[in-house]
Amino acid sequence: MKLLTFFLFFIFFIPNGDISMAGIKINDSKTSLSNLKLKLVANENNMAMYKTDNGNDFSITFDKGKVVYMENDWLQDIKSNKPLFSDFYFGQTTLKDIRNKFSTNGFTYRSKEL
């Protein structure tokens, strides 16, 4: 449950413009990935996956040449529980920790229209 909570936090609770992982931000161009010093382990039309220095996975999804989604996956090694950003830790951070830091229980959509 803690792992799911941690990913939900990164996907929904942090404002998009503030997310930076390994020097990559939401809305950066796909060409910005050339600055990454990580090992590329998978590459498809709209997604690239890298191996982080601590052995976890870092996936980046694109749409129209821009970064639209990033995910840092913890591979369950307790020695590699530091994510690419934040002061939270994989396997330890709880939803209560997230609520305490950001004073929120979640988010709502302004509109269901795209």
Side-chain angles (χ1 to χ4, degrees):
M1 182 65 179
K2 289 180 185 180
L3 181 62
L4 176 61
T5 299
F6 198 67
F7 286 120
L8 289 175
F9 163 76
F10 285 112
I11 294 169
F12 299 116
F13 296 133
I14 293 186
N16 288 345
D18 295 335
I19 296 173
S20 175
M21 288 193 241
I24 305 297
K25 293 181 180 181
I26 298 294
N27 291 320
D28 278 355
S29 70
K30 187 175 180 177
T31 59
S32 66
L33 299 185
S34 63
N35 297 326
L36 284 175
K37 305 290 187 235
L38 302 174
K39 180 182 177 186
L40 181 66
V41 294
N43 193 8
E44 297 179 12
N45 289 337
N46 66 339
M47 189 277 299
M49 181 186 291
Y50 296 85
K51 188 63 67 179
T52 64
D53 292 336
N54 64 5
N56 293 321
D57 292 333
F58 176 38
S59 301
I60 304 169
T61 303
F62 315 97
D63 185 37
K64 299 176 185 159
K66 299 272 187 183
V67 174
V68 295
Y69 176 81
M70 297 183 295
E71 181 177 304
N72 183 201
D73 296 322
W74 181 43
L75 300 181
Q76 306 294 313
D77 181 350
I78 196 66
K79 295 176 187 172
S80 299
N81 68 348
K82 184 71 178 133
L84 289 172
F85 79 102
S86 86
D87 57 349
F88 295 128
Y89 289 90
F90 290 119
Q92 297 174 7
T93 300
T94 65
L95 184 54
K96 183 178 179 181
D97 297 331
I98 294 167
R99 286 179 180 149
N100 287 340
K101 182 167 182 150
F102 294 101
S103 301
T104 182
N105 287 324
F107 71 99
T108 59
Y109 291 103
R110 288 186 189 155
S111 169
K112 292 183 181 182
E113 310 247 344
L114 292 175

